[in-house]
Coordinates of all heavy atoms in Angstrom, one line a residue:
P1 N -40.0 26.4 42.9 CA -38.6 26.4 42.4 C -38.0 25.1 42.5 O -38.3 24.2 43.4 CB -37.9 27.4 43.4 CG -39.0 27.7 44.6 CD -40.2 27.2 44.1
W2 N -37.2 24.7 41.5 CA -36.5 23.4 41.4 C -35.2 23.4 42.1 O -34.5 24.6 42.2 CB -36.5 23.0 39.9 CG -37.8 22.8 39.3 CD1 -38.5 23.6 38.6 CD2 -38.3 21.5 39.1 NE1 -39.6 23.0 38.1 CE2 -39.5 21.6 38.5 CE3 -38.0 20.2 39.7 CZ2 -40.4 20.6 38.2 CZ3 -38.9 19.2 39.3 CH2 -40.0 19.4 38.6
G3 N -34.7 22.4 42.5 CA -33.3 22.3 43.0 C -33.4 21.9 44.4 O -34.3 21.3 44.9
I4 N -32.2 22.2 45.0 CA -32.1 21.6 46.4 C -31.7 22.9 47.2 O -31.1 23.8 46.7 CB -31.0 20.5 46.6 CG1 -29.7 21.0 46.0 CG2 -31.4 19.3 45.8 CD1 -28.5 20.0 46.3
R5 N -32.0 22.8 48.5 CA -31.6 23.9 49.4 C -30.6 23.2 50.4 O -30.8 22.1 50.9 CB -32.7 24.4 50.2 CG -33.7 25.2 49.3 CD -34.7 25.9 50.2 NE -35.6 26.6 49.4 CZ -36.7 27.2 49.8 NH1 -37.0 26.9 51.0 NH2 -37.4 27.9 49.0
I6 N -29.6 24.0 50.6 CA -28.5 23.5 51.6 C -28.6 24.5 52.8 O -28.5 25.7 52.6 CB -27.1 23.6 50.9 CG1 -27.1 22.7 49.6 CG2 -26.0 23.2 51.9 CD1 -25.8 22.9 48.9
F7 N -28.8 23.8 54.0 CA -29.0 24.5 55.1 C -27.6 24.6 55.9 O -27.4 25.4 56.7 CB -30.0 24.0 55.9 CG -31.4 24.2 55.3 CD1 -32.0 23.1 54.7 CD2 -31.9 25.5 55.3 CE1 -33.2 23.3 54.1 CE2 -33.2 25.6 54.6 CZ -33.8 24.6 54.0
R8 N -26.9 23.5 55.6 CA -25.6 23.3 56.5 C -24.6 22.6 55.7 O -24.9 21.7 54.9 CB -26.0 22.6 57.7 CG -24.8 22.3 58.6 CD -25.3 21.6 59.8 NE -24.2 20.9 60.4 CZ -24.3 20.1 61.4 NH1 -25.4 19.9 62.0 NH2 -23.2 19.6 61.8
Y9 N -23.3 22.9 55.8 CA -22.3 22.2 55.2 C -21.1 22.1 56.2 O -21.0 22.9 57.0 CB -21.8 22.7 53.9 CG -21.1 24.0 53.9 CD1 -19.8 24.2 54.1 CD2 -21.9 25.2 53.8 CE1 -19.2 25.4 54.1 CE2 -21.4 26.5 54.0 CZ -20.0 26.6 54.1 OH -19.5 27.8 54.2
E10 N -20.4 21.1 56.0 CA -19.2 20.8 57.0 C -17.9 20.5 56.1 O -18.1 19.8 55.1 CB -19.4 19.6 57.9 CG -20.5 19.9 58.9 CD -20.6 18.6 59.9 OE1 -19.6 17.9 60.1 OE2 -21.7 18.4 60.3
I11 N -16.8 21.0 56.6 CA -15.6 20.6 56.0 C -14.9 19.6 57.0 O -14.7 19.9 58.1 CB -14.7 21.8 55.7 CG1 -15.3 22.8 54.8 CG2 -13.4 21.4 55.3 CD1 -14.5 24.2 54.6
A12 N -14.7 18.4 56.4 CA -14.1 17.4 57.3 C -12.7 17.0 56.9 O -12.4 17.1 55.6 CB -15.0 16.1 57.1
D13 N -11.9 16.7 57.8 CA -10.5 16.3 57.5 C -10.6 14.8 57.3 O -10.7 14.0 58.3 CB -9.6 16.7 58.7 CG -8.2 16.3 58.4 OD1 -7.9 16.1 57.1 OD2 -7.3 16.2 59.3
I14 N -10.5 14.3 56.2 CA -10.6 13.0 55.8 C -9.2 12.4 55.6 O -8.5 12.9 54.8 CB -11.5 12.6 54.6 CG1 -12.8 13.2 54.8 CG2 -11.5 11.2 54.3 CD1 -13.8 13.2 53.5
T15 N -8.9 11.3 56.4 CA -7.7 10.6 56.1 C -7.8 9.3 55.6 O -8.8 8.5 55.9 CB -6.8 10.5 57.5 OG1 -7.7 9.9 58.4 CG2 -6.5 11.9 58.1
V16 N -7.0 9.0 54.5 CA -7.3 7.8 53.8 C -6.1 6.8 54.3 O -5.0 7.3 54.4 CB -7.1 8.1 52.2 CG1 -7.3 6.7 51.5 CG2 -8.2 9.1 51.9
D17 N -6.5 5.5 54.4 CA -5.5 4.7 54.9 C -4.4 4.4 53.9 O -4.6 4.7 52.7 CB -6.1 3.3 55.4 CG -6.8 2.6 54.2 OD1 -7.9 2.9 53.9 OD2 -6.1 1.7 53.6
L18 N -3.3 4.0 54.2 CA -2.1 3.7 53.5 C -2.4 3.0 52.2 O -2.0 3.3 51.1 CB -0.9 3.3 54.3 CG 0.4 3.1 53.5 CD1 0.8 4.5 53.0 CD2 1.5 2.4 54.4
G19 N -3.1 1.8 52.4 CA -3.4 1.0 51.2 C -4.2 1.6 50.2 O -4.0 1.4 49.0
T20 N -5.1 2.4 50.7 CA -6.1 3.1 49.7 C -5.4 4.1 49.0 O -5.4 4.3 47.7 CB -7.3 3.6 50.4 OG1 -8.1 2.6 51.1 CG2 -8.3 4.3 49.4
R21 N -4.5 4.9 49.7 CA -3.7 5.9 49.1 C -2.7 5.3 48.1 O -2.6 5.9 47.1 CB -3.0 6.7 50.2 CG -2.2 7.9 49.6 CD -1.6 8.9 50.6 NE -2.0 8.5 51.9 CZ -1.2 8.7 53.0 NH1 0.2 8.8 52.9 NH2 -1.7 8.5 54.3
E22 N -2.0 4.2 48.4 CA -1.2 3.6 47.4 C -1.9 3.1 46.2 O -1.4 3.2 45.1 CB -0.3 2.5 48.1 CG 0.6 2.9 49.1 CD 1.3 1.8 49.9 OE1 0.8 0.6 49.7 OE2 2.3 2.0 50.5
A23 N -3.1 2.6 46.4 CA -3.9 2.1 45.2 C -4.3 3.4 44.4 O -4.2 3.2 43.1 CB -5.1 1.4 45.7
M24 N -4.6 4.3 45.0 CA -4.9 5.6 44.2 C -3.8 6.1 43.5 O -3.9 6.5 42.3 CB -5.6 6.7 45.1 CG -6.9 6.4 45.7 SD -7.5 7.5 47.0 CE -7.6 9.0 46.1
E25 N -2.6 6.2 44.1 CA -1.4 6.6 43.4 C -0.9 5.7 42.3 O -0.6 6.1 41.2 CB -0.2 6.7 44.5 CG -0.2 7.8 45.5 CD 0.8 7.7 46.5 OE1 1.7 6.9 46.6 OE2 0.8 8.6 47.4
R26 N -1.1 4.4 42.4 CA -0.8 3.4 41.4 C -1.8 3.7 40.2 O -1.3 3.7 39.1 CB -1.0 2.0 41.9 CG 0.3 1.5 42.6 CD 0.3 -0.1 42.9 NE -1.0 -0.6 43.4 CZ -1.3 -0.6 44.8 NH1 -0.3 -0.3 45.6 NH2 -2.4 -1.1 45.2
Q27 N -3.0 3.9 40.5 CA -4.0 4.1 39.5 C -3.7 5.4 38.7 O -3.6 5.5 37.4 CB -5.4 4.2 40.0 CG -6.5 4.4 39.0 CD -7.9 4.5 39.6 OE1 -8.1 4.6 40.8 NE2 -8.9 4.5 38.7
S28 N -3.4 6.5 39.4 CA -3.0 7.8 38.7 C -1.7 7.7 37.9 O -1.6 8.2 36.9 CB -2.9 8.9 39.7 OG -1.9 8.7 40.6
N29 N -0.7 6.9 38.4 CA 0.4 6.7 37.7 C 0.2 5.8 36.5 O 0.8 6.1 35.4 CB 1.6 6.0 38.6 CG 2.2 7.0 39.6 OD1 2.2 8.1 39.5 ND2 2.7 6.3 40.8
A30 N -0.6 4.8 36.6 CA -1.0 4.0 35.4 C -1.7 4.8 34.4 O -1.4 4.7 33.2 CB -1.7 2.9 35.8
E31 N -2.5 5.7 34.8 CA -3.1 6.6 33.8 C -2.2 7.5 33.1 O -2.3 7.8 31.9 CB -4.2 7.4 34.5 CG -5.1 8.4 33.6 CD -5.9 7.6 32.5 OE1 -6.2 6.4 32.7 OE2 -6.1 8.4 31.5
R32 N -1.2 8.2 33.9 CA -0.2 9.0 33.3 C 0.6 8.3 32.3 O 0.9 8.7 31.1 CB 0.7 9.6 34.3 CG 0.2 10.8 35.0 CD 1.1 11.6 35.8 NE 1.7 10.8 37.0 CZ 1.0 10.8 38.1 NH1 0.0 11.5 38.3 NH2 1.6 10.1 39.1
V33 N 1.0 7.0 32.6 CA 1.8 6.2 31.7 C 1.0 5.9 30.4 O 1.5 6.0 29.2 CB 2.2 4.9 32.4 CG1 2.8 3.9 31.4 CG2 3.3 5.3 33.5
R34 N -0.3 5.6 30.6 CA -1.1 5.3 29.4 C -1.2 6.4 28.6 O -1.1 6.4 27.3 CB -2.5 4.8 29.9 CG -3.4 4.4 28.7 CD -4.9 4.3 29.1 NE -5.5 5.6 29.4 CZ -5.9 6.5 28.5 NH1 -5.7 6.2 27.3 NH2 -6.4 7.6 29.0
R35 N -1.5 7.6 29.2 CA -1.6 8.9 28.2 C -0.3 9.1 27.6 O -0.3 9.5 26.4 CB -2.0 10.1 29.2 CG -3.4 10.1 29.5 CD -3.7 11.3 30.2 NE -3.2 11.3 31.4 CZ -3.6 11.8 32.5 NH1 -4.7 12.6 32.6 NH2 -2.8 11.8 33.7
A36 N 0.9 9.0 28.3 CA 2.2 9.2 27.6 C 2.4 8.2 26.4 O 2.9 8.6 25.5 CB 3.3 9.0 28.6
E37 N 2.0 7.0 26.6 CA 2.2 6.1 25.6 C 1.2 6.3 24.3 O 1.6 6.2 23.3 CB 1.8 4.7 26.1 CG 2.8 4.0 27.0 CD 2.4 2.7 27.6 OE1 1.3 2.3 27.5 OE2 3.3 2.1 28.3
V38 N 0.1 6.9 24.6 CA -0.8 7.2 23.6 C -0.2 8.4 22.8 O -0.3 8.4 21.6 CB -2.2 7.5 24.2 CG1 -3.1 8.3 23.2 CG2 -3.0 6.4 24.6
L39 N 0.3 9.4 23.5 CA 0.8 10.6 22.9 C 2.1 10.1 22.0 O 2.3 10.7 21.0 CB 1.3 11.6 23.8 CG 0.1 12.4 24.6 CD1 0.6 13.2 25.7 CD2 -0.7 13.2 23.5
E40 N 2.9 9.3 22.5 CA 4.1 8.8 21.9 C 3.7 8.1 20.5 O 4.2 8.3 19.5 CB 4.9 7.8 22.8 CG 6.2 7.5 22.2 CD 6.9 6.5 23.1 OE1 6.8 6.5 24.3 OE2 8.0 5.8 22.6
S41 N 2.6 7.3 20.7 CA 2.2 6.5 19.5 C 1.6 7.4 18.5 O 1.8 7.2 17.3 CB 1.3 5.3 19.8 OG 0.0 5.8 20.3
E42 N 0.9 8.4 18.9 CA 0.3 9.3 18.0 C 1.4 10.1 17.3 O 1.4 10.4 16.0 CB -0.7 10.3 18.7 CG -1.9 9.6 19.1 CD -2.9 10.5 19.8 OE1 -2.4 11.7 20.2 OE2 -4.0 10.1 20.1
G43 N 2.4 10.5 18.0 CA 3.6 11.2 17.5 C 4.3 10.4 16.4 O 4.6 10.8 15.3
Y44 N 4.5 9.1 16.8 CA 5.1 8.2 15.8 C 4.3 7.9 14.5 O 4.9 8.0 13.4 CB 5.3 6.8 16.5 CG 6.0 5.8 15.7 CD1 7.3 5.8 15.3 CD2 5.2 4.7 15.1 CE1 7.8 4.8 14.6 CE2 5.7 3.7 14.4 CZ 7.1 3.7 14.0 OH 7.6 2.8 13.3
R45 N 3.1 7.9 14.8 CA 2.0 7.7 13.6 C 2.1 9.0 12.7 O 2.3 8.9 11.5 CB 0.7 7.5 14.0 CG -0.4 7.3 13.0 CD -1.8 7.1 13.7 NE -2.8 7.1 12.7 CZ -3.4 8.3 12.4 NH1 -3.1 9.5 13.0 NH2 -4.4 8.3 11.4
Q46 N 2.0 10.1 13.3 CA 2.2 11.4 12.5 C 3.4 11.5 11.8 O 3.5 11.9 10.6 CB 1.9 12.6 13.5 CG 1.7 13.9 12.7 CD 0.4 13.8 11.7 OE1 -0.6 13.4 12.1 NE2 0.7 14.2 10.5
R47 N 4.5 11.0 12.5 CA 5.9 11.1 11.8 C 5.9 10.2 10.6 O 6.4 10.6 9.4 CB 7.0 10.6 12.7 CG 8.3 10.8 12.2 CD 9.3 10.3 13.1 NE 9.2 8.9 13.5 CZ 10.0 7.9 13.3 NH1 11.2 8.2 12.7 NH2 9.7 6.7 13.5
L48 N 5.4 9.0 10.6 CA 5.2 8.1 9.5 C 4.4 8.7 8.4 O 4.8 8.6 7.3 CB 4.8 6.7 9.9 CG 5.7 6.0 10.9 CD1 5.0 4.6 11.2 CD2 7.0 5.6 10.1
I49 N 3.3 9.4 8.7 CA 2.4 9.9 7.8 C 3.2 11.1 7.0 O 3.2 11.1 5.7 CB 1.1 10.4 8.4 CG1 0.3 9.2 8.8 CG2 0.4 11.4 7.4 CD1 -0.9 9.7 9.7
N50 N 3.9 11.8 7.8 CA 4.6 13.1 7.2 C 5.7 12.5 6.3 O 5.9 13.1 5.1 CB 5.2 14.0 8.3 CG 4.1 14.7 9.0 OD1 3.0 14.8 8.5 ND2 4.4 15.3 10.1
Q51 N 6.4 11.4 6.8 CA 7.5 10.9 5.9 C 7.0 10.3 4.6 O 7.4 10.5 3.6 CB 8.2 9.8 6.8 CG 9.5 9.2 6.1 CD 10.2 8.3 6.9 OE1 9.8 8.0 8.0 NE2 11.2 7.8 6.4
S52 N 5.8 9.7 4.7 CA 5.2 9.0 3.5 C 4.7 10.2 2.6 O 5.0 10.0 1.4 CB 4.0 8.2 4.0 OG 3.3 7.6 3.0
E53 N 4.0 11.2 3.1 CA 3.7 12.3 2.2 C 4.9 12.9 1.5 O 4.8 13.3 0.4 CB 2.9 13.2 3.1 CG 1.4 12.7 3.4 CD 0.7 13.8 4.2 OE1 1.3 14.8 4.6 OE2 -0.4 13.5 4.5
G54 N 6.0 13.1 2.3 CA 7.1 13.7 1.8 C 7.8 12.7 0.7 O 8.2 13.4 -0.4
D55 N 7.8 11.4 0.9 CA 8.3 10.5 -0.2 C 7.5 10.5 -1.4 O 8.0 10.5 -2.5 CB 8.3 9.1 0.4 CG 9.4 8.9 1.6 OD1 10.3 9.8 1.6 OD2 9.4 7.9 2.2
R56 N 6.2 10.6 -1.2 CA 5.2 10.7 -2.3 C 5.4 11.9 -3.1 O 5.6 11.9 -4.4 CB 3.8 10.6 -1.8 CG 2.7 10.8 -2.8 CD 1.3 10.7 -2.1 NE 0.3 11.1 -3.2 CZ -0.1 12.3 -3.3 NH1 0.4 13.3 -2.6 NH2 -1.1 12.5 -4.3
Q57 N 5.5 13.1 -2.4 CA 5.7 14.4 -3.2 C 7.0 14.4 -3.9 O 7.2 14.9 -5.0 CB 5.7 15.6 -2.2 CG 5.7 16.9 -2.9 CD 4.4 17.0 -3.8 OE1 3.3 16.7 -3.4 NE2 4.7 17.5 -5.0
S58 N 8.1 13.8 -3.3 CA 9.4 13.7 -3.9 C 9.3 12.8 -5.2 O 9.9 13.2 -6.2 CB 10.4 13.0 -2.9 OG 11.6 12.9 -3.6
A59 N 8.6 11.7 -5.1 CA 8.4 10.9 -6.3 C 7.7 11.6 -7.4 O 8.0 11.5 -8.6 CB 7.7 9.5 -5.9
I60 N 6.7 12.3 -7.0 CA 5.9 13.1 -8.0 C 6.8 14.2 -8.6 O 6.8 14.3 -9.9 CB 4.6 13.8 -7.4 CG1 3.6 12.7 -7.1 CG2 4.0 14.8 -8.2 CD1 2.5 13.3 -6.1
N61 N 7.6 14.9 -7.8 CA 8.4 15.9 -8.4 C 9.5 15.3 -9.4 O 9.8 15.8 -10.4 CB 9.1 16.7 -7.3 CG 8.2 17.5 -6.5 OD1 7.2 17.8 -7.0 ND2 8.6 18.0 -5.3
S62 N 10.0 14.1 -8.9 CA 11.0 13.5 -9.8 C 10.3 13.0 -11.2 O 10.9 13.3 -12.2 CB 11.5 12.2 -9.0 OG 12.4 11.5 -9.9
A63 N 9.2 12.5 -11.1 CA 8.6 12.1 -12.2 C 8.2 13.3 -13.2 O 8.4 13.2 -14.4 CB 7.3 11.3 -12.1
Q64 N 7.7 14.5 -12.6 CA 7.4 15.6 -13.4 C 8.7 16.1 -14.0 O 8.7 16.5 -15.2 CB 6.8 16.6 -12.5 CG 5.4 16.2 -12.1 CD 4.7 17.3 -11.2 OE1 5.4 18.1 -10.5 NE2 3.5 17.3 -11.1
G65 N 9.8 16.1 -13.3 CA 11.1 16.5 -13.8 C 11.5 15.7 -15.0 O 12.0 16.2 -16.0
E66 N 11.3 14.4 -14.8 CA 11.8 13.5 -15.9 C 10.9 13.7 -17.2 O 11.4 13.6 -18.3 CB 11.6 11.9 -15.4 CG 12.2 11.0 -16.4 CD 12.2 9.6 -15.8 OE1 12.2 9.4 -14.5 OE2 12.2 8.6 -16.7
A67 N 9.5 13.9 -16.9 CA 8.6 14.0 -18.0 C 9.0 15.4 -18.7 O 9.0 15.5 -20.1 CB 7.2 14.1 -17.5
E68 N 9.3 16.4 -18.1 CA 9.7 17.7 -18.6 C 10.9 17.5 -19.4 O 11.2 18.1 -20.6 CB 9.9 18.7 -17.6 CG 10.2 20.1 -18.1 CD 9.1 20.8 -18.9 OE1 7.9 20.3 -18.9 OE2 9.4 21.8 -19.6
S69 N 12.0 16.7 -18.9 CA 13.1 16.4 -19.6 C 12.8 15.8 -21.0 O 13.5 16.1 -21.9 CB 14.0 15.6 -18.8 OG 15.3 15.3 -19.4
I70 N 12.1 14.8 -20.9 CA 11.8 14.0 -22.1 C 11.0 14.9 -23.2 O 11.3 14.9 -24.4 CB 10.8 12.8 -21.8 CG1 11.6 11.8 -21.0 CG2 10.2 12.1 -23.0 CD1 10.9 10.6 -20.3
R71 N 10.1 15.7 -22.6 CA 9.3 16.6 -23.6 C 10.4 17.6 -24.2 O 10.3 17.9 -25.5 CB 8.4 17.4 -22.7 CG 7.4 18.3 -23.7 CD 6.5 19.2 -22.9 NE 7.2 20.3 -22.1 CZ 7.8 21.3 -22.8 NH1 7.6 21.5 -24.0 NH2 8.4 22.2 -22.1
L72 N 11.3 18.1 -23.5 CA 12.3 19.1 -24.0 C 13.2 18.5 -25.0 O 13.6 19.0 -26.0 CB 13.0 19.8 -22.9 CG 12.3 20.7 -22.0 CD1 13.2 21.2 -20.8 CD2 11.8 22.0 -22.8
K73 N 13.7 17.2 -24.8 CA 14.5 16.5 -25.7 C 13.7 16.2 -27.0 O 14.3 16.4 -28.1 CB 15.0 15.2 -25.0 CG 16.0 15.4 -24.0 CD 16.5 14.1 -23.4 CE 17.5 14.2 -22.3 NZ 17.8 12.9 -21.6
A74 N 12.4 15.8 -26.9 CA 11.6 15.6 -28.1 C 11.5 16.8 -28.8 O 11.5 16.8 -30.0 CB 10.3 15.0 -27.7
Q75 N 11.2 18.0 -28.2 CA 11.0 19.3 -28.9 C 12.4 19.6 -29.6 O 12.3 20.1 -30.7 CB 10.7 20.3 -27.8 CG 10.5 21.7 -28.5 CD 9.2 21.7 -29.4 OE1 8.1 21.2 -29.0 NE2 9.4 22.2 -30.5
A76 N 13.5 19.4 -28.9 CA 14.8 19.7 -29.6 C 15.0 18.9 -30.7 O 15.5 19.3 -31.8 CB 15.9 19.5 -28.6
E77 N 14.7 17.5 -30.7 CA 14.8 16.7 -31.8 C 13.9 17.0 -33.0 O 14.3 17.0 -34.2 CB 14.5 15.3 -31.4 CG 14.6 14.2 -32.5 CD 16.1 14.0 -32.9 OE1 17.0 14.5 -32.3 OE2 16.3 13.4 -34.0
A78 N 12.7 17.5 -32.6 CA 11.8 17.9 -33.7 C 12.2 19.2 -34.3 O 12.1 19.3 -35.6 CB 10.4 18.1 -33.1
D79 N 12.8 20.0 -33.6 CA 13.3 21.3 -34.1 C 14.6 21.0 -35.0 O 14.8 21.7 -36.2 CB 13.8 22.3 -33.0 CG 12.6 22.9 -32.3 OD1 11.5 22.8 -32.9 OD2 12.8 23.5 -31.2
R80 N 15.4 20.1 -34.8 CA 16.6 19.7 -35.4 C 16.2 19.1 -36.8 O 16.6 19.4 -37.9 CB 17.4 18.6 -34.7 CG 18.7 18.3 -35.4 CD 19.5 17.2 -34.6 NE 18.8 15.9 -34.7 CZ 18.8 15.1 -35.7 NH1 19.6 15.4 -36.9 NH2 18.4 13.9 -35.8
I81 N 15.1 18.2 -36.7 CA 14.6 17.7 -37.9 C 13.9 18.7 -38.8 O 14.3 18.6 -40.1 CB 13.5 16.4 -37.7 CG1 14.3 15.3 -37.0 CG2 12.8 16.0 -38.9 CD1 13.4 14.3 -36.3
R82 N 13.3 19.6 -38.3 CA 12.6 20.7 -39.2 C 13.7 21.5 -39.8 O 13.6 21.8 -41.0 CB 11.8 21.5 -38.2 CG 11.0 22.6 -39.0 CD 10.1 23.4 -38.1 NE 10.8 23.9 -36.9 CZ 11.7 25.0 -36.8 NH1 12.1 25.5 -37.9 NH2 12.2 25.3 -35.7
V83 N 14.8 21.8 -39.1 CA 15.8 22.7 -39.6 C 16.5 22.0 -40.8 O 16.8 22.5 -41.9 CB 16.8 23.1 -38.5 CG1 18.1 23.8 -39.1 CG2 16.2 24.1 -37.6
L84 N 16.8 20.7 -40.5 CA 17.5 19.8 -41.6 C 16.4 19.7 -42.7 O 17.0 19.8 -43.9 CB 17.8 18.5 -41.0 CG 19.0 18.3 -40.1 CD1 19.1 16.9 -39.5 CD2 20.3 18.9 -40.8
A85 N 15.2 19.6 -42.5 CA 14.4 19.4 -43.7 C 14.2 20.8 -44.5 O 14.3 20.7 -45.8 CB 12.9 19.0 -43.2
E86 N 14.2 21.9 -43.8 CA 14.2 23.1 -44.4 C 15.4 23.4 -45.3 O 15.4 23.8 -46.4 CB 14.0 24.2 -43.5 CG 12.6 24.4 -42.9 CD 12.4 25.3 -41.7 OE1 13.5 26.0 -41.3 OE2 11.3 25.5 -41.2
A87 N 16.6 23.0 -44.7 CA 17.9 23.1 -45.4 C 17.9 22.2 -46.7 O 18.4 22.7 -47.7 CB 19.1 22.8 -44.4
H88 N 17.4 21.0 -46.5 CA 17.5 20.1 -47.6 C 16.4 20.7 -48.7 O 16.8 20.6 -49.8 CB 17.1 18.7 -47.2 CG 17.1 17.7 -48.3 ND1 18.2 17.3 -48.9 CD2 16.0 17.1 -48.8 CE1 17.9 16.5 -49.7 NE2 16.6 16.2 -49.8
A89 N 15.4 21.2 -48.3 CA 14.4 21.7 -49.3 C 14.9 22.8 -50.0 O 14.8 23.1 -51.2 CB 13.1 22.1 -48.6
G90 N 15.7 23.8 -49.2 CA 16.2 25.0 -49.9 C 17.4 24.6 -50.9 O 17.6 25.1 -52.0
S91 N 18.2 23.4 -50.5 CA 19.1 23.1 -51.5 C 18.6 22.4 -52.7 O 19.2 22.5 -53.8 CB 20.2 22.1 -50.8 OG 19.7 20.9 -50.4
T92 N 17.5 21.7 -52.6 CA 16.9 21.1 -53.7 C 16.2 22.1 -54.5 O 16.3 21.9 -55.8 CB 15.7 20.1 -53.2 OG1 16.2 19.2 -52.1 CG2 15.0 19.5 -54.2
R93 N 15.7 23.2 -54.1 CA 15.2 24.3 -54.9 C 16.2 24.9 -55.7 O 16.2 25.3 -56.9 CB 14.5 25.3 -54.1 CG 13.1 24.9 -53.8 CD 12.4 26.1 -53.0 NE 12.5 25.5 -51.6 CZ 12.2 26.2 -50.5 NH1 11.6 27.4 -50.6 NH2 12.5 25.6 -49.4
V94 N 17.5 25.2 -55.1 CA 18.6 25.7 -55.6 C 19.1 24.9 -56.8 O 19.4 25.5 -57.9 CB 19.7 26.1 -54.7 CG1 20.9 26.5 -55.4 CG2 19.2 27.2 -53.7
A95 N 19.2 23.7 -56.6 CA 19.6 22.7 -57.6 C 18.6 22.5 -58.8 O 19.1 22.4 -60.0 CB 19.9 21.3 -57.0
A96 N 17.3 22.8 -58.4 CA 16.4 22.6 -59.6 C 16.3 23.9 -60.4 O 15.8 23.9 -61.6 CB 15.1 22.4 -58.8
S97 N 16.8 25.0 -59.9 CA 16.7 26.3 -60.7 C 17.8 26.4 -61.7 O 18.6 25.8 -62.1 CB 17.0 27.5 -59.8 OG 16.0 27.5 -58.8

């Protein structure tokens, strides 16, 4: 069998001197501050990404709306010219008869 065998264990009351305890507290506080800064920067980065994507989609929507407006105006102009041409052709036929 692999592994180790434990025949005895003890629970000891370990007291850490004040300097070591303060160093450990400073280290854990520094780690908490570092994690908070990382989370804050990630949140800021994600906010900028979302804002950029929103601006991009807004520009796309605006351009599509403008393109549709131009297309509809061109279609209306083409319809107007066709109606005028048909009217002119009709009056020319009447005059020729």
Side-chain angles (χ1 to χ4, degrees):
W2 292 88
I4 60 171
R5 289 188 179 169
I6 299 174
F7 295 105
R8 177 179 157 183
Y9 64 92
E10 289 183 31
I11 299 176
D13 184 20
I14 300 173
T15 54
V16 179
D17 66 274
L18 184 61
T20 305
R21 187 172 346 136
E22 287 175 350
M24 291 170 64
E25 288 174 1
R26 282 193 304 271
Q27 183 179 6
S28 66
N29 286 340
E31 181 62 23
R32 275 194 294 277
V33 167
R34 186 193 68 78
R35 279 186 297 211
E37 288 173 350
V38 166
L39 288 174
E40 183 179 344
S41 69
E42 286 176 356
Y44 178 73
R45 178 179 170 271
Q46 190 61 45
R47 183 181 63 118
L48 290 179
I49 289 170
N50 290 344
Q51 184 176 0
S52 175
E53 287 176 356
D55 291 346
R56 178 180 167 271
Q57 190 60 47
S58 176
I60 289 170
N61 290 345
S62 178
Q64 286 176 340
E66 188 175 338
E68 181 67 13
S69 174
I70 291 169
R71 189 189 67 74
L72 290 174
K73 286 178 185 176
Q75 183 65 45
E77 181 67 15
D79 290 345
R80 184 184 73 81
I81 291 171
R82 183 181 46 77
V83 167
L84 287 175
E86 288 173 357
H88 182 66
S91 67
T92 304
R93 273 181 270 174
V94 170
S97 300

